[in-house]
Amino acid sequence: MSHSTIIHRRDLEFQLFELFEAEVLTQRPRFAEHNRETFSAALDIAHAIAEEKFAPHNRLSDEHEPQFDGERVSMLPEIREAVRAYSEAGLIAAGKDYDVGGMQLPALVSHACHSLFKSANIATSSYVGLTIGNANVIDRFGTPAQKRKYLQALLEGRFFGTMALTEPQAGSSLADLTTRAVPNPDGTYSITGNKIFISGGDHELSDNIVHLVLARIPGAPPGVKGISLFTVPKYHVNDDGTLGERNDVALAGLIHKMGWRGTTSTMLSFGERGACIGEIVGEPHRGLAYMFQMMNEARIGVGMGATMLGYRGYLASLQYARERRQGRPPEEKRPDVPQVPLIEHTDVRRMLLAQKAYVEGGYALCLYAARLVDDLRTAGDETARAEAGLMLDLLTPVVKSWPSQWCLEANSLAIQIHGGYGYTREYPVEQFYRDNRLNLIHEGTHGVQGLDLLGRKVTLHDGRAIGLLAREIDRTVREALETPALAEEAHALAQAWHEMGETLAVLRPALAERATLVLAQANAFLEAFGHTVVAWLWLRQGLTACRALPNATDDDIKFYRGKLQTCQWFFRCELPKMQPHHALLRRLDDTTLNMAPDWF
Amino acid sequence: MSHSTIIHRRDLEFQLFELFEAEVLTQRPRFAEHNRETFSAALDIAHAIAEEKFAPHNRLSDEHEPQFDGERVSMLPEIREAVRAYSEAGLIAAGKDYDVGGMQLPALVSHACHSLFKSANIATSSYVGLTIGNANVIDRFGTPAQKRKYLQALLEGRFFGTMALTEPQAGSSLADLTTRAVPNPDGTYSITGNKIFISGGDHELSDNIVHLVLARIPGAPPGVKGISLFTVPKYHVNDDGTLGERNDVALAGLIHKMGWRGTTSTMLSFGERGACIGEIVGEPHRGLAYMFQMMNEARIGVGMGATMLGYRGYLASLQYARERRQGRPPEEKRPDVPQVPLIEHTDVRRMLLAQKAYVEGGYALCLYAARLVDDLRTAGDETARAEAGLMLDLLTPVVKSWPSQWCLEANSLAIQIHGGYGYTREYPVEQFYRDNRLNLIHEGTHGVQGLDLLGRKVTLHDGRAIGLLAREIDRTVREALETPALAEEAHALAQAWHEMGETLAVLRPALAERATLVLAQANAFLEAFGHTVVAWLWLRQGLTACRALPNATDDDIKFYRGKLQTCQWFFRCELPKMQPHHALLRRLDDTTLNMAPDWF
């Protein structure tokens, strides 16, 4: 699979085993039965299924969207085959305990496995991705009875899951949810309300669908503190595990998106006939807290999806740039010498370098976040676990938003390298661009991520999370300063972090007094912070490459040189773009705030 | 039409009559019969037809692409109705002489008229847009006989036209065209070859289609110096103007694009049966020069198209942001007060301001270029005409590329303001985004524009063109310095132009010695130069608003304040983004150049 179109496998191995040292995790009791070979075997299985079952129908399912005839949703049979192969390989339970049939893989490795499916076919992968998220919530917060009813079936792929949060009148404003859950004498709840943009909300891919629904119990406090969480199955499940009657959940319609077309995006009506029954998960009024405890991983999933769409486009344009001959270099004045491959043109190389920097940087970011999930769960001492949790909280808005922004830009560059062909549906890159545009929106819009980062995360625990990041960055800077080839980058990162400190020194006190003014620039802060974090991870990639180079041979030498050159590119051509952001932020500029709505 | 969805008419009037002083043009003999009323009447007609005949089927023609059954191309009847209304209103000949049935409108006004159709329906507008470009070439370079045959029919919309340049094996590298034109004894040529991406290359919208085809005569020099230009009609035209037999031009297939779907994008085969007859335009081997003499206006057309797609998305998202209520400001902690309109959120306002800055800045840029076309053709003295030509040559790559980049970004922001809805085909903004992605590619890719600007235009006539721009910028700076409200912006523009001078002082000598190294950063230069030019035009808009404010009333006060605030935003939030570009350019950074192709 050395010429895979869905991943540069050498890069994946580099990131997993060299950069993030996956093997070190096997020293922990939970992963004691694993070793590099078992990790690689899991990746090989995922890679093969992704290539053989997911990638081939990616364009086809874009062209043939799911159809709803008023009764049932029909879709390409290839989608069912693919998710079945995925389930049968045990991948839904990849991170789960052996005793529920799981592989007990670290999050680092299971996210790497899932990344291959996102690259191969983001739309088809979302059915199983949502099921994993759903199963995680039930596993963590469900009662033993709920787990018996749903968990095993979800992990085996017999049932699929959804997250039913959004409502038409509320959008991002979850405080304004109005779906009602009225308690019944038997302890169940009657659910009434409408949800929108529910991915995987209806289909025939599984025997049953388990919706996780946010709703209000009458008398609940207003706002986000009055929201509870419910399981609402499409078909009721009998005590013996067999399916009972259809629950009162109706597909009100399919939504037609610009991309991501193979995933049913649905409007769901709960309780139109007054007969929708759900069960509460955990305690009343704590539903949003439960959902948000799972949000870190969901947002890693979005960042990873954005990254892999970018990655796939990068590989497609790289291959095209190597094969397509067109034009001549500027210094070549003879019109009759043969045309050169596109990759010989420096502007094409710039677009390839930018893509490589964005997608491999985004990959490192998402895998680092997955590594933090492992530390949060399985690090040896409590301090390390707590610190990993803080760091993950801090970085989650970056993990979600940075790849959504920059790997979308990568997809645009992949189109550009293809010229006119790239804009046609006869080539794959235009679809990646359309698919990727969603990632700036779902699971919390870009704007929401900025508010989360600047409004909450940087001040979290009196800035302790920021302090942890500072410690990590400082460590990397010191290591790089001892490596002559990376001294320039080490200084640049130290300087960028210093800038960040100066900016925060202005923003933090101002946040307390003039929150609206400061948060008007949350987007600039999100960008500046994100680029700094990714620069740090690029320097770590550079360091890892530098250390490996002396003993490398053949293709590995080229691979490591490519990493070092891309690291240099990110520091010289990308990171400096954030200087004007810092200047703007420190000025507490009020131009946006003072633009009156009726001046537009 | 105060609530038009295709244009902010007040802004159009501002740009035409206040900023670019269209009425001054009526002092020139060619436009002596015009006045503000006749200009407005033309705009009113264009506006009405665009709203009534073009806008309504914009989504429909995206959903129902033209179909080719092997014989004929079929498409929505609405397209034919629209282009017919356009032709019947005399708009194809809007800029032409009275004696050929034209309106003799200045380019400034005719481009403004056409802009409304681009906003309403870019795909349908392209059939008439291409016909205008085609007619201009024949008008300027054709023989009297060719004009008799084609020109009047084109201007009346009985014939439509194409530009058939691109070939599958050559793409942007026009030097590598291989289509052959073999002279026949009767003075005609037999054409053989394949063209690709020919917009409007086949359809049933007009009685005939006149292709302008680039081809090589046997024995011609290699490269771009051996290319000639030919008229190749779909149907031969008899001496009495009636249609003769079908020429040997075949539609080899339709291309399916991401957007712009209502325009047939075709692969054409010329001379498959050995019977394709064309006539040469002008002299042999000068075909590319003829095409390029028309290129400035074609590229204004692309920039204008990009601008108007951005403009339409901006207006849609502005309306949505005013009507849709969602969430509360950060300082509002009570969850039970009503939700506020989206426009109250500062991050939404930032996205609206950015869009306004991009689309109104792009509009000013394109209309300024049209104004230069007028000066080039009708300015009173020769020096003024020559200077306008130089300035237009210099700015053309900016006019083509800046709106393609930034108004596409505007379209992305318009989606973002709509949240999940914006990503669906149930709302209009996703189509604008897909449509606009083409503009970075056709009529010379973004990369080609960068090479043109840095590699040719800034050194044109020993930098005389740059000198003219410097003079204009200096004039605006001095005027703004006398206007206290704009002193900050005046200083910022002076500083930005100073930076540009410093950068050019490094790049110009380096270009002579190390062209490949310098041109590797052509993209950064294009961005920095473009933002500086648009900043200058924003300052001119600010000045115009400042002068008008003291006597303004009611809505005009808000309008001018909006202009001033957006001018301030561009100078504070956008222009500074170019500082890192200058630093990178002056370093003559070699990172991209030194990235070996096999390191990827």
Side-chain angles (χ1 to χ4, degrees):
Chain A
M1 283 187 269
S2 60
H3 288 91
S4 169
T5 61
I6 63 172
I7 191 74
H8 185 190
R9 186 68 187 259
R10 179 67 187 84
D11 181 42
L12 170 55
E13 310 273 340
F14 169 82
Q15 301 227 13
L16 273 195
F17 297 112
E18 298 172 64
L19 181 62
F20 295 122
E21 302 177 307
E23 281 174 279
V24 170
L25 292 169
T26 64
Q27 293 161 12
R28 298 182 183 172
R30 181 172 176 82
F31 309 123
E33 290 182 36
H34 280 294
N35 52 48
R36 177 153 182 169
E37 284 66 39
T38 63
F39 290 162
S40 292
L43 290 168
D44 286 342
I45 290 169
H47 199 165
I49 298 173
E51 289 271 16
E52 290 159 22
K53 298 288 184 183
F54 280 66
H57 69 279
N58 190 48
R59 170 62 70 176
L60 206 63
S61 76
D62 182 71
E63 289 167 344
H64 301 277
E65 286 175 292
Q67 301 291 325
F68 179 46
D69 63 8
E71 284 289 317
R72 280 166 180 273
V73 174
S74 59
M75 60 179 74
L76 288 181
E78 287 87 342
I79 296 175
R80 189 184 172 91
E81 255 185 68
V83 297
R84 189 161 284 189
Y86 185 100
S87 307
E88 283 171 2
L91 286 163
I92 295 178
K96 292 289 170 199
D97 296 358
Y98 293 129
D99 63 15
V100 294
M103 299 185 196
Q104 225 159 294
L105 283 171
L108 177 62
V109 180
S110 67
H111 274 278
C113 287
H114 296 315
S115 76
L116 302 173
F117 297 94
K118 290 171 191 285
S119 175
N121 191 322
I122 193 84
T124 297
S125 78
S126 70
Y127 294 105
V128 287
L130 287 160
T131 301
I132 293 169
N134 184 293
N136 283 342
V137 172
I138 293 176
D139 190 21
R140 181 136 174 217
F141 303 108
T143 61
Q146 285 167 339
K147 289 187 198 176
R148 270 195 308 278
K149 232 181 200 175
Y150 300 126
L151 189 59
Q152 201 62 33
L154 288 163
L155 294 177
E156 291 171 11
R158 288 184 286 118
F159 295 0
F160 277 4
T162 77
M163 306 280 193
L165 283 70
T166 306
E167 298 181 7
Q169 80 293 342
S172 298
S173 183
L174 295 173
D176 293 282
L177 297 183
T178 57
T179 296
R180 285 162 51 88
V182 179
N184 298 317
D186 65 354
T188 65
Y189 286 78
S190 290
I191 313 288
T192 326
N194 298 300
K195 297 285 180 179
I196 193 166
F197 301 128
I198 309 309
S199 294
D202 206 359
H203 53 69
E204 304 288 325
L205 298 172
S206 54
D207 299 343
N208 200 359
I209 301 174
V210 184
H211 304 288
L212 283 171
V213 178
L214 290 181
R216 282 179 199 288
I217 300 168
V224 294
K225 289 174 183 161
I227 297 173
S228 305
L229 181 65
F230 301 86
T231 56
V232 179
K234 178 176 175 181
Y235 295 99
H236 290 294
V237 180
N238 301 317
D239 290 341
D240 63 357
T242 58
L243 295 190
E245 288 192 1
R246 179 98 190 222
N247 200 358
D248 181 14
V249 187
L251 176 59
L254 294 177
I255 297 160
H256 301 93
K257 292 182 171 171
M258 173 162 68
W260 214 288
R261 296 190 180 188
T263 304
T264 50
S265 180
T266 64
M267 294 176 279
L268 295 179
S269 293
F270 295 88
E272 265 192 344
R273 293 180 286 108
C276 178
I277 302 299
E279 290 175 31
I280 196 163
V281 177
E283 293 171 28
H285 316 323
R286 299 203 47 206
L288 205 61
Y290 301 145
M291 288 304 269
F292 267 86
Q293 287 188 54
M294 310 313 299
M295 199 53 91
N296 285 341
E297 268 197 90
R299 288 180 175 168
I300 296 174
V302 173
M304 188 66 94
T307 298
M308 300 319 290
L309 284 165
Y311 212 126
R312 183 106 185 261
Y314 163 59
L315 293 179
S317 66
L318 178 59
Q319 187 184 348
Y320 188 79
R322 285 184 165 143
E323 292 173 359
R324 167 88 174 175
R325 289 179 169 270
Q326 199 182 300
R328 292 163 195 82
E331 69 275 13
E332 177 58 77
K333 302 299 177 197
R334 293 167 300 169
D336 46 0
V337 300
Q339 300 191 72
V340 299
L342 282 175
I343 199 170
E344 297 292 334
H345 296 291
T346 51
D347 193 57
V348 171
R349 216 140 72 224
R350 170 188 70 81
M351 293 191 276
L352 290 170
L353 253 174
Q355 287 182 76
K356 183 175 164 74
Y358 298 151
V359 305
E360 295 180 5
Y363 210 26
L365 178 65
C366 295
L367 290 172
Y368 177 69
R371 187 70 168 71
L372 288 173
V373 171
D374 284 319
D375 285 348
L376 169 69
R377 291 186 191 150
T378 61
D381 66 286
E382 202 175 326
T383 308
R385 290 196 295 276
E387 289 183 354
L390 272 178
M391 191 80 147
L392 187 61
D393 280 345
L394 173 66
L395 293 185
T396 293
V398 177
V399 173
K400 195 273 174 183
S401 65
W402 195 90
S404 300
Q405 179 173 3
W406 297 101
C407 296
L408 175 64
E409 176 61 22
N411 284 137
S412 186
L413 295 172
I415 291 176
Q416 198 66 22
I417 287 175
H418 283 75
Y421 295 104
Y423 188 69
T424 71
R425 279 126 66 203
E426 276 79 23
Y427 283 74
V429 286
E430 67 86 28
Q431 185 186 346
F432 306 144
Y433 181 67
R434 282 188 289 110
D435 286 348
N436 216 350
R437 185 61 187 75
L438 180 60
N439 289 309
L440 283 160
I441 299 170
H442 64 172
E443 300 287 354
T445 64
H446 208 65
V448 165
Q449 304 304 319
L451 292 175
D452 182 39
L453 180 67
L454 183 58
R456 296 180 55 239
K457 295 300 176 63
V458 298
T459 52
L460 204 66
H461 289 266
D462 291 328
R464 260 189 68 211
I466 283 273
L468 292 172
L469 178 60
R471 187 183 73 191
E472 293 299 314
I473 286 179
D474 186 56
R475 179 182 302 163
T476 303
V477 166
R478 278 186 284 111
E479 289 174 16
L481 283 173
E482 291 165 14
T483 311
L486 291 170
E488 176 189 326
E489 287 78 8
H491 284 292
L493 180 60
Q495 178 59 27
W497 189 250
H498 174 75
E499 293 279 341
M500 184 57 64
E502 298 283 305
T503 297
L504 281 170
V506 175
L507 298 189
R508 273 195 193 130
L511 264 173
E513 292 161 27
R514 307 178 67 191
T516 305
L517 174 67
V518 176
L519 292 175
Q521 303 291 358
N523 186 68
F525 185 81
L526 182 68
E527 282 193 12
F529 193 83
H531 256 43
T532 308
V533 169
V534 174
W536 164 55
L537 289 169
W538 260 115
L539 188 50
R540 286 188 59 179
Q541 293 195 62
L543 269 171
T544 306
C546 255
R547 285 170 186 151
L549 250 181
N551 300 314
T553 54
D554 305 330
D555 283 352
D556 268 359
I557 295 176
K558 295 173 192 162
F559 174 77
Y560 291 127
R561 288 222 179 282
K563 281 286 181 193
L564 284 166
Q565 195 74 6
T566 312
C567 173
Q568 177 179 310
W569 185 88
F570 195 86
F571 274 90
R572 289 188 178 183
C573 302
E574 275 299 313
L575 187 59
K577 288 183 187 169
M578 298 303 131
Q579 285 162 5
H581 288 55
H582 285 292
L584 181 72
L585 286 161
R586 285 182 216 159
R587 253 170 52 177
L588 297 174
D589 186 70
D590 59 5
T591 311
T592 305
L593 193 67
N594 291 342
M595 178 74 180
D598 61 2
W599 291 357
F600 282 100
Chain B
M1 283 189 268
S2 61
H3 288 91
S4 170
T5 62
I6 65 172
I7 191 73
H8 186 191
R9 186 69 187 259
R10 180 67 187 86
D11 181 41
L12 170 55
E13 311 273 340
F14 170 82
Q15 301 227 13
L16 273 196
F17 298 112
E18 299 171 63
L19 182 61
F20 294 122
E21 302 176 306
E23 281 173 279
V24 170
L25 293 169
T26 63
Q27 294 162 12
R28 299 183 182 170
R30 181 172 176 82
F31 309 122
E33 292 182 36
H34 280 292
N35 52 47
R36 178 153 181 168
E37 285 63 42
T38 62
F39 291 162
S40 291
L43 290 168
D44 286 343
I45 290 169
H47 200 165
I49 298 173
E51 289 271 15
E52 289 159 25
K53 297 289 185 183
F54 280 68
H57 69 279
N58 191 48
R59 170 63 69 177
L60 207 63
S61 78
D62 181 72
E63 289 167 343
H64 302 278
E65 286 174 292
Q67 301 290 325
F68 179 47
D69 63 7
E71 284 288 318
R72 279 167 180 274
V73 173
S74 58
M75 60 179 75
L76 289 181
E78 287 88 342
I79 296 175
R80 190 184 171 91
E81 255 186 70
V83 297
R84 189 162 285 190
Y86 185 100
S87 308
E88 284 170 2
L91 286 164
I92 295 178
K96 294 287 169 199
D97 296 359
Y98 293 129
D99 64 16
V100 295
M103 300 185 196
Q104 226 159 293
L105 282 172
L108 177 62
V109 180
S110 68
H111 275 278
C113 287
H114 296 315
S115 76
L116 302 172
F117 297 94
K118 291 172 190 285
S119 176
N121 191 323
I122 192 85
T124 297
S125 78
S126 70
Y127 294 105
V128 286
L130 287 161
T131 300
I132 293 169
N134 184 293
N136 284 342
V137 173
I138 293 175
D139 190 20
R140 181 136 174 216
F141 303 108
T143 62
Q146 284 167 340
K147 289 187 198 177
R148 271 196 306 278
K149 230 181 202 176
Y150 300 126
L151 188 59
Q152 202 61 35
L154 288 163
L155 294 177
E156 291 171 12
R158 290 183 284 117
F159 295 0
F160 277 4
T162 77
M163 305 280 193
L165 284 69
T166 306
E167 297 181 8
Q169 81 292 344
S172 299
S173 183
L174 295 174
D176 293 282
L177 297 184
T178 59
T179 295
R180 284 160 54 88
V182 179
N184 297 318
D186 65 354
T188 64
Y189 287 78
S190 290
I191 313 286
T192 327
N194 298 298
K195 297 283 179 179
I196 193 166
F197 300 128
I198 308 310
S199 294
D202 206 359
H203 53 70
E204 306 287 324
L205 297 173
S206 54
D207 299 344
N208 200 359
I209 301 174
V210 184
H211 304 288
L212 283 172
V213 179
L214 291 181
R216 279 178 200 290
I217 301 168
V224 293
K225 290 174 184 162
I227 297 173
S228 304
L229 180 65
F230 301 86
T231 55
V232 179
K234 179 175 174 181
Y235 294 98
H236 291 293
V237 180
N238 301 318
D239 290 341
D240 63 357
T242 58
L243 294 190
E245 289 194 359
R246 177 99 191 221
N247 200 358
D248 181 14
V249 186
L251 176 59
L254 293 177
I255 297 160
H256 300 93
K257 291 182 172 172
M258 173 162 68
W260 213 289
R261 295 190 181 189
T263 304
T264 49
S265 180
T266 64
M267 294 177 279
L268 296 179
S269 293
F270 294 88
E272 265 193 342
R273 293 180 285 110
C276 178
I277 302 299
E279 288 175 32
I280 196 162
V281 177
E283 293 170 29
H285 317 322
R286 298 201 48 205
L288 205 61
Y290 301 145
M291 289 304 269
F292 266 86
Q293 286 186 56
M294 311 313 299
M295 198 55 91
N296 286 341
E297 268 198 271
R299 287 180 176 169
I300 296 174
V302 173
M304 188 66 95
T307 298
M308 300 319 290
L309 284 165
Y311 212 125
R312 182 106 186 260
Y314 163 58
L315 293 178
S317 67
L318 178 59
Q319 186 182 350
Y320 188 79
R322 284 185 165 141
E323 291 173 0
R324 166 88 173 174
R325 290 179 168 269
Q326 201 182 298
R328 292 162 195 82
E331 70 276 11
E332 177 59 77
K333 303 299 180 198
R334 293 167 299 169
D336 46 0
V337 300
Q339 300 190 72
V340 299
L342 281 175
I343 200 170
E344 297 292 334
H345 296 291
T346 51
D347 193 57
V348 171
R349 214 138 75 226
R350 170 187 71 81
M351 293 191 278
L352 290 170
L353 253 174
Q355 286 182 77
K356 183 175 165 73
Y358 298 150
V359 306
E360 295 179 5
Y363 210 27
L365 178 65
C366 296
L367 291 173
Y368 177 69
R371 187 72 169 71
L372 288 174
V373 171
D374 283 320
D375 283 349
L376 169 68
R377 292 185 189 151
T378 60
D381 66 285
E382 200 175 326
T383 308
R385 290 196 295 276
E387 288 184 354
L390 272 177
M391 191 78 147
L392 188 61
D393 279 346
L394 173 66
L395 292 185
T396 293
V398 177
V399 173
K400 195 275 173 183
S401 66
W402 195 90
S404 300
Q405 179 173 2
W406 297 101
C407 296
L408 175 64
E409 177 60 22
N411 283 137
S412 186
L413 294 172
I415 291 176
Q416 198 66 21
I417 287 174
H418 284 75
Y421 295 104
Y423 189 69
T424 70
R425 278 127 63 204
E426 276 80 23
Y427 282 75
V429 286
E430 67 86 28
Q431 184 186 345
F432 306 144
Y433 181 67
R434 281 188 290 109
D435 285 348
N436 217 350
R437 184 61 186 77
L438 180 59
N439 289 310
L440 284 160
I441 300 171
H442 65 173
E443 299 288 354
T445 64
H446 208 65
V448 165
Q449 303 305 319
L451 292 175
D452 183 39
L453 180 67
L454 184 57
R456 296 181 53 240
K457 296 300 175 63
V458 298
T459 52
L460 204 64
H461 288 265
D462 290 328
R464 259 188 70 212
I466 282 272
L468 292 171
L469 178 60
R471 188 184 71 192
E472 293 300 313
I473 286 179
D474 186 54
R475 178 182 304 163
T476 304
V477 166
R478 276 186 285 111
E479 289 174 17
L481 282 173
E482 291 165 15
T483 312
L486 290 169
E488 176 189 326
E489 286 78 7
H491 284 293
L493 180 59
Q495 177 60 27
W497 189 250
H498 174 74
E499 293 279 341
M500 185 58 65
E502 298 282 305
T503 298
L504 281 170
V506 175
L507 297 189
R508 273 196 195 131
L511 264 174
E513 293 161 24
R514 306 177 68 191
T516 307
L517 173 67
V518 176
L519 292 174
Q521 304 291 357
N523 186 68
F525 185 80
L526 181 68
E527 283 192 12
F529 193 83
H531 256 43
T532 307
V533 169
V534 174
W536 163 55
L537 290 169
W538 261 114
L539 187 49
R540 286 188 59 180
Q541 293 194 62
L543 268 170
T544 307
C546 254
R547 286 170 186 151
L549 250 180
N551 299 314
T553 54
D554 304 331
D555 283 353
D556 267 0
I557 295 176
K558 294 173 190 163
F559 175 77
Y560 292 127
R561 288 223 179 280
K563 282 285 181 196
L564 284 166
Q565 195 73 7
T566 311
C567 173
Q568 177 178 309
W569 186 89
F570 196 86
F571 275 91
R572 289 188 178 183
C573 301
E574 274 299 314
L575 186 59
K577 288 183 185 168
M578 297 304 131
Q579 285 163 5
H581 288 53
H582 285 292
L584 181 72
L585 286 161
R586 285 182 215 159
R587 254 171 53 178
L588 298 174
D589 187 70
D590 60 4
T591 311
T592 304
L593 193 69
N594 291 341
M595 177 74 180
D598 61 0
W599 290 356
F600 282 100

